[in-house]
Amino acid sequence: MISVEEISKRYGSITAVDRASFTVDRGEVVGFLGPNGAGKTTTMRMLTGTLQPDEGTIHFDGAPISEDLTAAKSRVGYLPEANPLYDDMLVCEFLEYVARLRGMDAAAARTAIGRAVEETGLAEVFFRPIGEISKGFRQRAGMAGAILHEPEILVLDEPTEGLDPNQRVEIRKLMSSLGSERTVILSTHVMQEVEATCDRLLIISRGAIAADGTVGELMDAARGVSRYTVEAAGEGVAEGLRALPGVADHTTEAVDGRVRVRLEAASDHELRPEIFRLATERDWVLWELRRERATLEQVFRQLTTGDEGAGTMTGAGGEKPAGAGTGADGEEDAK
């Protein structure tokens, strides 16, 4: 349904997106991940037609969106990270306003608003001022505005940012239900959200697509290294463990008179039986022995190491163009 071919976007000397290419099939829910400043928001704005790429093309159903931007935008619902709401409006007034902006007549607006309110669960706050409703309901109101015109494509930029755990679960369920009938592209830093809602992942790093696949595929690709945690009391624990065959790296720390060692080894070399035998032979008291599974966060870090903010998995804040340093973040927002 969506085909992105070699798109680039620059802000002066800063390249925010660098020859990115990917496709999204009809009905997919795709997680779009990347560190702050990697180019996520810029790419999403180009998908919605808000920004135009300097190079490359974006197609909906084979047709370049640049040929008729108005028609392309009518097929997209967009919820930006800064949810654009008016605190002095009632929820019903806001949705009526969005309907007018979409060119709907009164009858079409009533039908669309009723459907959107039902889908997003806004009935209990429909006649309340937006400034008085919770952050969770504010996000629901923003989503209702985004789906009011029944778009085929829904683009959500950090839809659960700033919500408490209960609100995150509610919005996650809402995203899953909205994705049952639409193509959804979801940007988030929350890995649980990705695993719970997304069919496929796109990871962007330094403005380019670094990985594309299902959660399982990306996890399998990251299993070249296995990690073990061993906590034991005895003589020569660290020295004995790092001498085991297949160990590539290790770290050691003291814990309440014991030693905790974290090992890295080739994934095709299972160390646990050897560690247990070594502990028995040397009369160590074994407090902990476990092999760690690769996590989506580890995959993310492997693919984006070196990007600004790569270690911030649940952080907030606006995105900066790739390569921007301190003080450069205003340029993309101004654009």
Side-chain angles (χ1 to χ4, degrees):
M1 183 178 192
I2 301 170
S3 175
V4 176
E5 299 176 2
E6 297 284 320
I7 61 170
S8 297
K9 186 66 181 177
R10 300 179 186 86
Y11 300 103
S13 62
I14 297 170
T15 300
V17 179
D18 187 13
R19 298 187 301 277
S21 297
F22 58 89
T23 60
V24 179
D25 291 335
R26 190 178 303 277
E28 275 194 306
V29 179
V30 176
F32 196 44
L33 311 181
N36 292 335
K40 299 187 304 298
T41 295
T42 297
T43 302
M44 297 176 90
R45 288 174 180 170
M46 288 191 284
L47 286 173
T48 64
T50 306
L51 291 177
Q52 297 303 299
D54 297 324
E55 299 170 5
T57 56
I58 299 171
H59 297 80
F60 290 171
D61 290 329
I65 68 172
S66 57
E67 290 183 355
D68 190 343
L69 272 177
T70 300
K73 288 180 180 181
S74 71
R75 301 178 66 180
V76 179
Y78 180 37
L79 180 63
E81 183 179 1
N83 191 354
L85 300 175
Y86 298 92
D87 286 353
D88 56 340
M89 284 185 175
L90 305 181
V91 172
C92 59
E93 292 172 335
F94 168 71
L95 295 178
E96 289 167 357
Y97 176 57
V98 173
R100 288 199 301 274
L101 292 178
R102 288 289 179 183
M104 298 180 185
D105 61 31
R110 281 194 299 272
T111 301
I113 290 170
R115 183 185 58 251
V117 167
E118 183 176 357
E119 280 196 77
T120 56
L122 278 174
E124 66 180 274
V125 298
F126 188 60
F127 295 107
R128 288 179 59 186
I130 290 174
E132 295 179 6
I133 63 177
S134 69
K135 181 70 182 290
F137 275 120
R138 290 173 70 91
Q139 291 300 87
R140 288 174 180 269
M143 287 191 186
I147 66 173
L148 201 63
H149 60 298
E150 294 190 84
E152 303 165 68
I153 302 165
L154 193 56
V155 179
L156 307 174
D157 194 357
E158 301 286 355
T160 62
E161 187 59 52
L163 301 184
D164 66 36
N166 291 332
Q167 291 170 334
R168 284 183 185 275
V169 170
E170 292 173 1
I171 297 299
R172 201 176 297 160
K173 290 177 182 177
L174 175 58
M175 288 188 295
S176 296
S177 66
L178 293 177
S180 63
E181 298 178 356
R182 300 174 179 86
T183 301
V184 178
I185 299 175
L186 165 68
S187 170
T188 181
H189 284 102
V190 184
M191 297 296 103
Q192 302 96 312
E193 211 158 87
V194 172
E195 295 186 75
T197 60
C198 297
D199 304 316
R200 192 170 124 241
L201 304 183
L202 292 165
I203 297 180
I204 188 169
S205 176
R206 298 178 180 271
I209 301 301
D212 179 355
T214 65
V215 173
E217 289 169 345
L218 296 186
M219 300 277 273
D220 287 341
R223 288 185 181 128
V225 174
S226 290
R227 294 172 176 83
Y228 300 82
T229 297
V230 184
E231 187 176 320
E235 294 295 326
V237 173
E239 294 79 1
L241 291 173
R242 71 185 180 208
L244 288 170
V247 173
D249 196 8
H250 77 286
T251 60
T252 304
E253 63 177 314
V255 180
D256 295 330
R258 304 183 293 274
V259 176
R260 178 179 294 148
V261 183
R262 291 185 171 87
L263 306 172
E264 289 189 2
S267 62
D268 58 354
H269 197 93
E270 174 58 73
L271 290 182
R272 283 174 295 181
E274 297 180 36
I275 294 170
F276 186 79
R277 281 195 295 269
L278 189 62
T280 303
E281 291 170 2
R282 302 197 178 185
D283 201 26
W284 296 341
V285 178
L286 199 58
W287 288 72
E288 181 180 6
L289 170 57
R290 61 186 168 89
R291 180 176 179 174
E292 299 174 6
R293 295 179 57 194
T295 66
L296 191 55
E297 181 169 346
Q298 289 169 342
V299 174
F300 180 94
R301 290 181 61 83
Q302 287 176 18
L303 292 168
T304 60
T305 298
D307 279 16
E308 182 177 352
T312 305
M313 299 304 304
T314 57
E319 180 176 337
K320 292 186 280 187
T326 302
D329 54 325
E331 182 168 4
E332 181 176 2
D333 292 337
K335 298 286 185 180

